[in-house]
Amino acid sequence: MTRDYSQFMPTAAASATSRTLSALEVLGWQSFFAQQTDVDALEQTPPVRVTEVHRSGLRVKGDGIDATLPPSVEATVGDWVLLDQVLPQDSVVLERKSLIKRRAPGHDRSVQLIGANIDTVFVVTSCNADFNVARLERFVALAFEAEVAPVIVLTKADLCDDPSGYVEQAERVSPDVPVLLLDARGGDPAEKLAPWCKPGQTVAFLGTSGVGKSTMVNALSGNQKVETQGIREDDARGRHTTTYRHLHVLPDGACVLDTPGMRELQLTDAATGLGEVFADLEELAAQCKFNDCAHDTEPGCAVTAAIEAGQIDAARQARWQKLVAEDKFNSTTLAERKASDKSLGKLIKGIQKKNRK
């Protein structure tokens, strides 16, 4: 079947609000991706989006296409790929508009890609014992670093007498991040998240297990597509329901990424994001007498002076220093691993070349 891909080029794109979305636009196709393509070649290598990643391969969807790519294609959920229908392993991943990543759990010092080409991240937490300001700061910094708009979503307000304290703490994370309080089980998600779930947009839910991410995906889609579970009563922690990242297409034309719960979130290459979350502390640090000030006992430290004056919270300052140190360590070790892998690759190629001779 021949398809007309010219409508997806930037010069011919119309407003999503003035016409019915095309099949690709429903999947999140935007001019940013169209600019990277040759419209005359799109019939042979049509664009498809990665909706699931498994060890056995990547599920991709496009205009009339639902296929599987081999795991050798280095892509993550949300990526746009030019599908080589003859040699799928040669399919090309388009440049990403945004990329959310973290240092992978474990000791192998690798990076885990969480999702690509996301427009908005809903950082979800509960109004119970699972609520953790430090974790919220990590998630928000992750979103800022990826140049994705974060929104903090507080759920399970029915489990506490007064949720206002949780809202106040969440609002102090960043003045640039909206905070929403809602009931994930009712009509709140569809109503309160609507401004960010517009046709053609891609949103993602991030948070720990049991906070209501999958429940909100179901509420937005209008059915019970995603399995859900409750929390443990002894510590308010959730059970893993979503076991892999899955990009769902909503009836209104938006895409939503549901992710497994993440209790461990190690930052890497997130200096810019941390700078935005802790902009006030970064500004104070620039006023210290010494450029390498540790903000401890050094004379002329603007940060400790602000703490003593009651202008900033000492606990928040401690969290900032911890995250900056963690990010610097992870970024350095990952850079060293990349350099080591590159050197090893050159050595192996040299040996192979010598053996061929």
Side-chain angles (χ1 to χ4, degrees), residues 4-32:
D4 180 15
Y5 286 97
S6 62
Q7 61 177 305
F8 305 124
M9 300 304 290
T11 55
S15 170
T17 59
S18 62
R19 61 174 174 80
T20 302
L21 294 182
S22 65
L24 287 185
E25 288 171 323
V26 168
L27 287 166
W29 184 255
Q30 300 173 5
S31 61
F32 177 86

Side-chain angles (χ1 to χ4, degrees), residues 81-215:
V81 180
L82 297 182
L83 175 62
D84 189 321
Q85 301 179 86
V86 178
L87 298 172
Q89 65 272 20
D90 292 338
S91 299
V92 176
V93 180
L94 295 180
E95 179 187 348
R96 294 156 175 150
K97 182 180 178 181
S98 62
L99 176 64
I100 300 175
K101 62 181 180 179
R102 65 168 175 172
R103 177 170 174 171
H107 304 286
D108 63 349
R109 299 185 298 177
S110 62
V111 172
Q112 180 184 34
L113 306 184
I114 298 172
N117 303 314
I118 308 298
D119 298 299
T120 302
V121 164
F122 295 121
V123 180
V124 188
T125 188
S126 305
C127 296
N128 55 24
D130 187 65
F131 183 90
N132 186 295
V133 171
R135 192 186 303 126
L136 287 178
E137 290 169 341
R138 286 175 179 268
F139 276 112
V140 171
L142 190 75
F144 278 150
E145 184 66 33
E147 298 185 351
V148 176
V151 177
I152 296 176
V153 179
L154 303 179
T155 63
K156 304 186 187 297
D158 58 302
L159 300 180
C160 64
D161 295 331
D162 183 8
S164 60
Y166 293 103
V167 174
E168 292 173 2
Q169 291 183 71
E171 288 176 338
R172 287 198 290 268
V173 170
S174 172
D176 299 320
V177 179
V179 176
L180 304 177
L181 179 68
L182 53 77
D183 183 351
R185 302 166 302 174
D188 277 2
E191 178 183 348
K192 294 186 177 181
L193 303 184
W196 297 276
C197 298
K198 295 182 181 298
Q201 293 288 291
T202 300
V203 301
F205 288 102
L206 298 182
T208 56
S209 300
V211 294
K213 302 187 301 297
S214 296
T215 300

